[in-house]
Amino acid sequence: MNAMTQDLDAIPKLNTNGGTSLQALSDWVAEVAALTQPDAIHWCDGSDAESAELIAQMEADGTLIPLNSETHPNSWLHRSHPDDVARVEHLTFVCTSDQDDAGPNNHWMAPADGHAKMDGLFDGCMRGRTMYVIPYCMGPIESPLSRCGVEITDSPYVVANMRLMTRMGAPALERIEREGRFVRGLHSIGELDPNRRFIMHFPEELTIKSYGSGYGGNALLGKKCHALRIASHQARQEGWLAEHMLILGIENPQGQTHYIAAAFPSACGKTNLAMLIPPEGYREAGWKVWTVGDDICWMRPGADGRLYAINPEAGFFGVAPGTSAKSNPNALKCVQRNTIFTNVGVTADNQPWWEGIDDDQQPAVDWRGEPYEAGKRPAAHPNARFTVSARQCPSYSSEAENPAGVPISAIVFGGRRASLVPLVFEARDWTHGVLVGAAMGSETTAAATGQVGVMRRDPMAMKPFCGYNFADYFSHWLSFDNGQNKLPKIFHVNWFRKGADGKFLWPGFGDNLRVLEWMVGRVEGRANAVDTPIGAIPSEADLNLEGVELSDDARAVLFGYDRDGWKAEFDSIGEYLEEYGPRMPEALKDERVRIASELG
Ligand code: SAT
Ligand code: MN
């Protein structure tokens, strides 16, 4: 299994500040130290003093650049290596003993080969560096839905981000020592050489090895690597779901709250939707939207058969460009203090700046640290990010800390579709809903390296994140419909439909609440819709469109469906499902055939 064979007694005693009573953890840390040869080991306790010391050190070596302390107290800019600005799906592997278990949706390597490759890269890579041991908990410390991990890294920037994104330090270590189990994540920035970069997962060993990148989802191993790829594998074994979904609460004027979980690919507005501000009329009437999470959702059936969800994260790693007082005032308020910005531009007075921020300021320096030249290159990288604690969000729900999770009333799937797909439709039952999720398509974004704007299938927005064969994943989803669970309704939305002029037809942002309100009405059995082969579509009269300007053409397209276009779409979905071979559940294929034949 593991290629590390050093004699542990031969390792000189390293300068180290802490330790653990858990033998499995101290043995692993010693093994990693023997392999990577750091100068010192630092066990992270998550304290303010520890954070202050790390930040001082990063300010001194230029890893963090302090921003304007009057406008943005306690906030920093980090410039990543220009070749290291997004997730690298082509270098991300799932190593299972049987290749079919990883599925056509993952790059695969045999576990022994994966370990050999990674251990070769890690050999001696921390010489001259400090190795940080970060115990963390994904989800509220007291929640039975939460799971823990330990990330070992040589990047203090990763430590600072993990401190904002997870419950990290002493309380997490206590839980790990109590439970005795944890996901192992080993990370080194290496030489930041794109040719020596791999993100490798060993789901059967609950292990992650990531080398050569310091960026977001490649390096903050609690996020996509643990909370999605490894957790999806664990969730399948244990009977729950680990999903790429935001979670929000909609409180009606009577004070009742429905929780919705929604899956969209990276950089399709999950953070904006999770922090939505109701349009004026709704606000006046007393509607409120509460943020539980903006990226990841773990859910499991409760004793009453409903799905209960937690946000395993404790912070937001949101896309900065496009975030403005208009698009997402809550996010803008979040990032006024105690925030790490990555790859944004800065103004002459040292405030963070990005395209679409919509203020009167101009950038002086771009994300690479070079003088900004208008019209030449953007000031912020399109995948520039902010990292901030969720507790700073004005709409953060107190229920986000509830160890029991929140009950989910509706699941929403959505992508960027310029044509064909209407604003919203409802699946007729769970099986249909799983097909809607499995068939999801979206145009690619800057969150991953590669071409932007190409339509690809991205089932449940999990294409880059499902740690096992998609066919088995769809079977797992279908298995929740067991006659006992009280499952949420499933919907599909498309905020990104374009008109002939190439402009978006739907205003989006706060007005998306109109669509969510209709969903809540459907859940409560009050709202109307028109049944079509692809699902139940509201007519424009079924939505509250007061104050929204939409041309007749836009209305026809947003609330209509094009039978011929959908026939072609269902042919293409059929071909897509075939790519998964014999493991693809018959129930899903039958469901596609049922709808295709209704389309005629
Ligand atoms: O880079 S991350 O994976 O953390 C962000 C994203 O792509 O959603
Ligand atoms: Mn994401």
Side-chain angles (χ1 to χ4, degrees):
M1 288 224 298
N2 208 309
M4 292 188 263
T5 51
Q6 279 88 350
D7 176 2
L8 298 185
D9 295 334
I11 308 166
K13 193 94 189 95
L14 283 170
N15 173 11
T16 173
N17 67 328
T20 174
S21 59
L22 184 64
Q23 191 69 38
L25 177 53
S26 56
D27 285 353
W28 177 57
V29 170
E31 264 178 44
V32 170
L35 176 68
T36 59
Q37 306 273 309
D39 278 10
I41 300 179
H42 179 92
W43 288 75
C44 298
D45 61 13
S47 64
D48 291 344
E50 173 182 86
S51 171
E53 210 182 298
L54 278 176
I55 282 168
Q57 180 193 316
M58 285 189 278
E59 281 188 10
D61 70 15
T63 304
L64 290 185
I65 302 163
L67 290 165
N68 186 319
S69 61
E70 271 164 38
T71 58
H72 292 76
N74 226 12
S75 297
W76 294 268
L77 164 66
H78 171 73
R79 293 194 180 111
S80 70
H81 190 285
D83 289 330
D84 186 30
V85 291
R87 281 181 292 101
V88 281
E89 292 176 12
H90 60 296
L91 303 175
T92 300
F93 286 74
V94 169
C95 305
T96 43
S97 359
D98 180 350
Q99 181 166 4
D100 279 347
D101 290 340
N105 46 304
N106 282 301
H107 299 295
W108 176 83
M109 209 179 275
D113 296 345
H115 281 303
K117 181 162 222 45
M118 297 311 282
D119 292 350
L121 293 169
F122 279 110
D123 194 354
C125 75
M126 294 191 192
R127 261 182 221 124
R129 299 180 186 170
T130 296
M131 179 175 115
Y132 299 93
V133 181
I134 315 171
Y136 63 86
C137 180
M138 299 311 290
I141 292 276
E142 299 306 332
S143 173
L145 297 162
S146 301
R147 293 287 180 275
C148 292
V150 177
E151 174 165 358
I152 297 180
T153 178
D154 55 9
S155 161
Y157 166 81
V158 166
V159 179
N161 277 270
M162 286 290 283
R163 186 163 191 265
L164 294 167
M165 294 304 297
T166 72
R167 280 98 174 159
M168 174 271 250
L173 183 59
E174 271 169 39
R175 177 164 170 167
I176 291 167
E177 289 173 343
R178 209 167 53 235
E179 292 184 331
R181 62 176 187 155
F182 59 95
V183 169
R184 292 156 195 238
L186 172 54
H187 168 254
S188 170
I189 55 171
E191 307 81 23
L192 293 176
D193 174 355
N195 297 312
R196 284 166 57 83
R197 179 176 296 161
F198 287 101
I199 325 295
M200 205 81 77
H201 304 75
F202 306 87
E204 293 152 359
E205 301 164 42
L206 303 185
T207 294
I208 305 152
K209 293 184 176 178
S210 164
Y211 188 90
S213 166
Y215 192 81
N218 302 330
L220 313 177
L221 300 186
K223 198 173 178 55
K224 307 295 169 137
C225 299
H226 176 165
L228 290 176
R229 297 195 191 95
I230 297 289
S232 59
H233 169 92
Q234 272 184 307
R236 182 184 174 213
Q237 290 178 327
E238 298 172 4
W240 49 283
L241 290 165
E243 300 301 325
H244 191 203
M245 293 177 176
L246 66 91
I247 309 166
L248 60 76
I250 300 178
E251 185 180 327
N252 69 16
Q254 292 74 46
Q256 291 145 345
T257 304
H258 278 285
Y259 293 93
I260 294 182
F264 298 85
S266 301
C268 287
K270 283 202 297 299
T271 307
N272 292 344
L273 187 61
M275 297 181 188
L276 180 152
I277 303 254
E280 209 179 308
Y282 279 81
R283 272 201 315 273
E284 280 158 9
W287 289 85
K288 293 189 183 107
V289 171
W290 298 107
T291 309
V292 178
D294 80 329
D295 195 40
I296 301 179
C297 164
W298 287 357
M299 53 190 161
R300 159 191 293 254
D304 61 359
R306 297 188 70 187
L307 291 184
Y308 284 81
I310 60 163
N311 170 15
E313 300 191 283
F316 307 120
F317 185 66
V319 179
T323 305
S324 70
K326 192 164 158 272
S327 68
N328 193 339
N330 278 329
L332 210 60
K333 281 186 197 134
C334 286
V335 302
Q336 290 311 301
R337 60 200 154 90
N338 310 328
T339 304
I340 299 172
F341 295 89
T342 300
N343 294 340
V344 297
V346 284
T347 61
D349 66 346
N350 211 23
Q351 297 190 47
W353 195 95
W354 50 80
E355 278 63 28
I357 191 169
D358 229 1
D359 64 3
D360 303 331
Q361 310 246 15
Q362 283 303 312
V365 177
D366 73 12
W367 65 276
R368 298 166 197 251
E370 287 164 20
Y372 173 70
E373 290 177 66
K376 271 205 157 163
R377 277 205 303 236
H381 186 277
N383 195 34
R385 298 271 172 165
F386 52 77
T387 322
V388 67
S389 164
R391 289 176 192 271
Q392 281 186 203
C393 181
S395 57
Y396 191 50
S397 165
S398 56
E399 285 300 294
E401 303 291 335
N402 185 341
V406 296
I408 297 297
S409 299
I411 288 176
V412 180
F413 295 119
R416 287 179 184 267
R417 293 296 293 263
S419 59
L420 185 67
V421 183
L423 181 61
V424 57
F425 61 89
E426 177 193 327
R428 71 169 196 172
D429 58 17
W430 186 259
T431 302
H432 179 202
V434 174
L435 178 66
V436 168
M440 235 172 89
S442 192
E443 292 157 21
T444 50
T445 69
T449 48
Q451 217 183 333
V452 169
V454 188
M455 153 60 198
R456 72 166 181 182
R457 299 259 168 231
D458 188 350
M460 275 97 164
M462 285 287 277
K463 169 75 189 68
F465 307 122
C466 183
Y468 63 102
N469 191 321
F470 257 153
D472 298 335
Y473 171 75
F474 302 142
S475 297
H476 182 51
W477 263 82
L478 291 171
S479 75
F480 284 82
D481 190 8
N482 60 4
Q484 278 150 28
N485 288 334
K486 294 196 192 71
L487 296 168
K489 277 186 178 291
I490 298 180
F491 298 87
H492 188 281
V493 300
N494 179 22
W495 315 133
F496 300 96
R497 186 76 186 255
K498 287 181 177 168
D501 58 0
K503 293 205 177 117
F504 292 120
L505 293 176
W506 177 248
F509 302 111
D511 288 310
N512 291 338
L513 183 59
R514 301 171 189 279
V515 177
L516 302 182
E517 188 205 359
W518 174 78
M519 291 177 190
V520 169
R522 294 294 288 175
V523 168
E524 292 180 346
R526 320 180 257 101
N528 291 324
V530 181
D531 282 325
T532 78
I534 65 158
I537 305 180
S539 72
E540 48 178 298
D542 298 323
L543 248 71
N544 173 0
L545 293 176
E546 224 176 279
V548 189
E549 269 181 46
L550 290 175
S551 67
D552 288 348
D553 286 353
R555 284 167 196 257
V557 162
L558 291 169
F559 301 104
Y561 97 104
D562 155 17
R563 185 179 283 266
D564 288 341
W566 278 102
K567 265 165 82 170
E569 175 78 358
F570 268 78
D571 289 345
S572 136
I573 294 169
E575 283 163 25
Y576 179 69
L577 297 184
E578 282 308 320
E579 287 174 24
Y580 291 90
R583 287 202 191 197
M584 183 55 76
E586 286 302 321
L588 214 57
K589 292 202 261 185
D590 292 349
E591 184 65 8
R592 189 205 67 85
V593 171
R594 178 187 71 77
I595 296 171
S597 59
E598 274 188 40
L599 284 164

Coordinates of all heavy atoms in Angstrom, one line a residue, residues 279-282 423 504-515 540 543-552 554-555 558-559:
P279 N -36.0 40.8 -3.5 CA -36.4 42.1 -4.2 C -37.3 42.9 -3.3 O -37.9 42.4 -2.3 CB -37.2 41.6 -5.4 CG -37.1 40.2 -5.5 CD -36.5 39.6 -4.2
E280 N -37.3 44.2 -3.6 CA -38.0 45.2 -2.7 C -39.3 44.7 -2.2 O -39.6 44.7 -1.0 CB -38.1 46.5 -3.4 CG -38.1 47.7 -2.5 CD -38.1 49.0 -3.2 OE1 -37.3 49.2 -4.2 OE2 -39.0 49.8 -2.9
G281 N -40.2 44.4 -3.1 CA -41.6 44.0 -2.7 C -41.6 42.8 -1.7 O -42.4 42.8 -0.7
Y282 N -40.7 41.9 -1.9 CA -40.6 40.7 -1.0 C -40.1 41.2 0.4 O -40.6 40.7 1.4 CB -39.6 39.7 -1.6 CG -40.3 38.8 -2.7 CD1 -40.4 39.2 -4.0 CD2 -40.7 37.5 -2.4 CE1 -40.9 38.4 -5.0 CE2 -41.2 36.7 -3.3 CZ -41.4 37.1 -4.6 OH -41.9 36.3 -5.6
L423 N -36.5 28.5 -17.7 CA -36.1 29.1 -16.4 C -36.2 28.1 -15.3 O -35.3 28.0 -14.5 CB -37.0 30.3 -16.1 CG -36.7 31.1 -14.9 CD1 -35.3 31.7 -14.9 CD2 -37.8 32.2 -14.7
F504 N -28.5 38.0 -21.5 CA -29.3 37.1 -20.6 C -30.7 37.6 -20.6 O -31.0 38.8 -20.6 CB -28.7 37.2 -19.2 CG -27.4 36.5 -19.1 CD1 -26.2 37.2 -18.7 CD2 -27.2 35.1 -19.4 CE1 -25.0 36.6 -18.6 CE2 -26.0 34.5 -19.3 CZ -24.9 35.2 -18.9
L505 N -31.7 36.7 -20.6 CA -33.1 37.0 -20.6 C -33.7 37.3 -19.2 O -34.6 38.0 -19.1 CB -33.9 35.9 -21.3 CG -33.6 35.7 -22.8 CD1 -34.4 34.6 -23.3 CD2 -34.0 37.0 -23.6
W506 N -33.1 36.6 -18.3 CA -33.6 36.7 -16.9 C -32.7 37.5 -16.1 O -31.5 37.4 -16.1 CB -33.7 35.2 -16.3 CG -34.2 35.2 -14.9 CD1 -33.4 34.8 -13.8 CD2 -35.5 35.5 -14.4 NE1 -34.2 34.8 -12.7 CE2 -35.5 35.2 -13.0 CE3 -36.7 35.9 -15.0 CZ2 -36.6 35.5 -12.2 CZ3 -37.8 36.1 -14.2 CH2 -37.7 35.9 -12.8
P507 N -33.3 38.5 -15.2 CA -32.4 39.4 -14.5 C -31.5 38.7 -13.4 O -30.4 39.2 -13.1 CB -33.4 40.3 -13.8 CG -34.7 39.7 -13.9 CD -34.7 38.8 -15.1
G508 N -32.0 37.5 -12.9 CA -31.1 36.8 -12.0 C -31.0 37.5 -10.6 O -31.9 38.3 -10.2
F509 N -30.0 37.1 -9.9 CA -29.7 37.6 -8.5 C -30.9 37.6 -7.6 O -31.6 36.6 -7.5 CB -29.0 39.0 -8.7 CG -27.8 39.0 -9.5 CD1 -27.7 39.5 -10.8 CD2 -26.7 38.3 -9.0 CE1 -26.5 39.5 -11.5 CE2 -25.5 38.2 -9.8 CZ -25.4 38.8 -11.0
G510 N -31.3 38.8 -7.0 CA -32.4 38.8 -6.1 C -33.7 38.3 -6.7 O -34.5 37.7 -6.0
D511 N -33.9 38.5 -8.0 CA -35.1 38.1 -8.6 C -35.3 36.6 -8.7 O -36.4 36.1 -8.9 CB -35.3 38.7 -10.0 CG -35.6 40.2 -10.0 OD1 -36.5 40.6 -9.2 OD2 -34.9 41.0 -10.6
N512 N -34.2 35.9 -8.5 CA -34.3 34.4 -8.4 C -35.2 33.9 -7.3 O -35.7 32.8 -7.3 CB -32.9 33.8 -8.3 CG -32.0 34.0 -9.5 OD1 -32.6 34.2 -10.6 ND2 -30.7 33.9 -9.4
L513 N -35.4 34.8 -6.3 CA -36.3 34.4 -5.2 C -37.7 34.1 -5.8 O -38.5 33.3 -5.2 CB -36.4 35.5 -4.2 CG -37.2 35.2 -2.9 CD1 -36.8 33.9 -2.2 CD2 -37.3 36.4 -1.9
R514 N -38.1 34.8 -6.9 CA -39.4 34.6 -7.4 C -39.6 33.1 -7.8 O -40.6 32.5 -7.7 CB -39.6 35.5 -8.7 CG -39.5 37.0 -8.3 CD -39.5 37.8 -9.6 NE -39.1 39.2 -9.2 CZ -40.0 40.1 -8.7 NH1 -41.3 39.8 -8.6 NH2 -39.6 41.3 -8.4
V515 N -38.5 32.6 -8.3 CA -38.5 31.1 -8.8 C -38.5 30.3 -7.5 O -39.2 29.3 -7.4 CB -37.3 30.9 -9.7 CG1 -37.2 29.4 -10.0 CG2 -37.3 31.7 -10.9
E540 N -46.2 31.9 -16.9 CA -45.8 33.1 -16.3 C -46.7 33.6 -15.3 O -46.3 34.3 -14.3 CB -45.5 34.2 -17.4 CG -46.7 34.3 -18.4 CD -46.4 35.4 -19.4 OE1 -46.2 36.6 -19.0 OE2 -46.3 35.1 -20.6
L543 N -45.9 32.6 -11.5 CA -44.8 33.2 -10.8 C -45.1 34.7 -10.5 O -45.8 35.3 -11.2 CB -43.5 33.2 -11.6 CG -42.3 32.4 -11.2 CD1 -42.7 30.9 -11.4 CD2 -41.1 32.7 -12.0
N544 N -44.6 35.2 -9.3 CA -44.8 36.6 -9.1 C -43.8 37.4 -9.9 O -42.6 37.4 -9.5 CB -44.7 36.8 -7.6 CG -44.6 38.3 -7.2 OD1 -44.8 39.2 -8.1 ND2 -44.5 38.6 -5.9
L545 N -44.2 38.0 -10.9 CA -43.3 38.8 -11.8 C -43.5 40.3 -11.7 O -43.0 41.0 -12.5 CB -43.5 38.3 -13.3 CG -43.0 36.9 -13.6 CD1 -43.3 36.5 -15.0 CD2 -41.6 36.6 -13.3
E546 N -44.1 40.7 -10.6 CA -44.4 42.1 -10.4 C -43.1 42.9 -10.4 O -42.2 42.6 -9.5 CB -45.1 42.3 -9.1 CG -46.3 43.2 -9.1 CD -47.0 43.2 -7.8 OE1 -47.8 42.3 -7.6 OE2 -46.7 44.1 -7.0
G547 N -43.0 43.9 -11.3 CA -41.8 44.7 -11.2 C -40.6 44.2 -12.1 O -39.6 44.8 -12.2
V548 N -40.8 43.0 -12.8 CA -39.8 42.5 -13.6 C -40.1 42.8 -15.1 O -41.2 42.5 -15.5 CB -39.7 40.9 -13.5 CG1 -38.4 40.4 -14.3 CG2 -39.7 40.5 -12.1
E549 N -39.2 43.4 -15.8 CA -39.4 43.7 -17.2 C -39.0 42.6 -18.0 O -37.8 42.3 -18.1 CB -38.7 45.0 -17.5 CG -39.5 46.3 -17.3 CD -38.7 47.5 -17.7 OE1 -38.1 47.5 -18.8 OE2 -38.7 48.4 -16.9
L550 N -39.9 42.0 -18.7 CA -39.6 40.9 -19.7 C -40.3 41.1 -21.0 O -41.6 41.3 -20.9 CB -40.0 39.5 -19.1 CG -39.2 39.0 -17.8 CD1 -39.8 37.7 -17.4 CD2 -37.7 38.8 -18.2
S551 N -39.7 41.0 -22.1 CA -40.4 41.1 -23.4 C -41.2 39.9 -23.6 O -41.0 38.8 -22.9 CB -39.3 41.2 -24.5 OG -38.7 40.0 -24.6
D552 N -42.2 40.0 -24.5 CA -43.0 38.8 -24.8 C -42.2 37.6 -25.3 O -42.5 36.5 -24.9 CB -44.1 39.2 -25.9 CG -45.1 40.1 -25.3 OD1 -45.2 40.3 -24.1 OD2 -45.9 40.7 -26.1
A554 N -39.1 37.0 -24.5 CA -38.4 36.4 -23.3 C -39.3 35.5 -22.5 O -39.0 34.4 -22.1 CB -37.8 37.5 -22.4
R555 N -40.6 36.0 -22.3 CA -41.5 35.2 -21.5 C -41.8 33.9 -22.2 O -41.8 32.8 -21.6 CB -42.9 36.0 -21.4 CG -42.8 37.1 -20.4 CD -44.0 38.0 -20.4 NE -43.6 39.2 -19.7 CZ -44.1 39.5 -18.5 NH1 -44.9 38.7 -17.9 NH2 -43.7 40.6 -17.9
L558 N -38.6 31.6 -21.7 CA -38.3 31.3 -20.3 C -39.4 30.3 -19.7 O -39.1 29.5 -18.8 CB -38.3 32.5 -19.4 CG -37.1 33.5 -19.6 CD1 -37.2 34.8 -18.9 CD2 -35.8 32.8 -19.2
F559 N -40.6 30.4 -20.2 CA -41.7 29.6 -19.6 C -42.2 28.6 -20.6 O -43.3 28.0 -20.4 CB -42.8 30.5 -19.0 CG -42.3 31.4 -18.0 CD1 -42.1 32.8 -18.3 CD2 -42.0 30.9 -16.7 CE1 -41.6 33.6 -17.3 CE2 -41.5 31.8 -15.8 CZ -41.3 33.1 -16.0

